[in-house]
Amino acid sequence: YIQLYHECFNVSYVIFRLCTPWGSLLEENGNYGTFKTFINQAKQNKMITLYGDGNTLKTYTYITDVCNAFFSPVQNRDIINDIFNIGGHVYSLKDIANYIASIYDAKICFEKWPRLVKKIDGGNTILDSSKLDLYKSISYIKLEDLYE
């Protein structure tokens, strides 16, 4: 629809596709989503729960990298009226759980996928940001960069 509005009414746009953002710029929030869930489980129960084998892969993008990409149109008008993937680093849920478990001395348990959750999960989602990289070079922050 936005491309149609551009063609009909000359509305400019930039569409960014993002997989899984992580982190927070607010100290009291720390993280949200996958990271927050795993950290809370590790702190409270000393047990992180994964569905299936935990090998689902996703591109995780730290929040400052998301903001950096969103600022791109202001810095480079050449990306106006186009669609770009925002990159990051690819981790499995098991990779993240193992990392957090090592910090909090927690265990990981694997459970069968609940039927509804399995239907909702998008499976492997890996985004290639090479198109955006031509216009905006982002040195994506890794999990290990912040929690060493």
Side-chain angles (χ1 to χ4, degrees), residues 48-112:
I48 297 172
T49 303
L50 289 177
Y51 297 134
D53 60 10
N55 288 322
T56 302
L57 298 171
K58 307 243 186 257
T59 301
Y60 289 85
T61 312
Y62 191 66
I63 192 64
T64 56
D65 296 332
V66 173
C67 295
N68 197 4
F70 284 0
F71 190 61
S72 298
V74 176
Q75 295 177 320
N76 189 335
R77 306 285 301 161
D78 293 338
I79 73 170
I80 301 297
N81 302 326
D82 209 342
I83 302 169
F84 298 90
N85 290 337
I86 297 175
H89 293 280
V90 176
Y91 298 104
S92 71
L93 290 172
K94 189 171 18 175
D95 292 336
I96 295 168
N98 280 327
Y99 195 80
I100 291 170
S102 72
I103 293 170
Y104 293 98
D105 194 31
K107 302 268 188 253
I108 299 171
C109 75
F110 297 88
E111 291 185 0
K112 183 178 175 183

Side-chain angles (χ1 to χ4, degrees), residues 16-20 57-61 84-90 124-130:
F16 289 114
R17 296 181 66 234
L18 178 64
C19 184
T20 309
L57 298 171
K58 307 243 186 257
T59 301
Y60 289 85
T61 312
F84 298 90
N85 290 337
I86 297 175
H89 293 280
V90 176
N124 292 337
T125 309
I126 301 169
L127 297 182
D128 176 7
S129 64
S130 58

Side-chain angles (χ1 to χ4, degrees), residues 113-121:
W113 279 93
R115 188 170 167 239
L116 182 59
V117 175
K118 186 168 184 154
K119 287 184 178 192
I120 294 170
D121 184 74

Side-chain angles (χ1 to χ4, degrees), residues 26-43:
L26 304 173
E27 286 184 32
E28 63 274 6
N29 288 345
N31 278 295
Y32 61 95
T34 304
F35 287 82
K36 180 117 179 149
T37 299
F38 288 175
I39 289 169
N40 285 345
Q41 288 178 349
K43 282 180 173 179

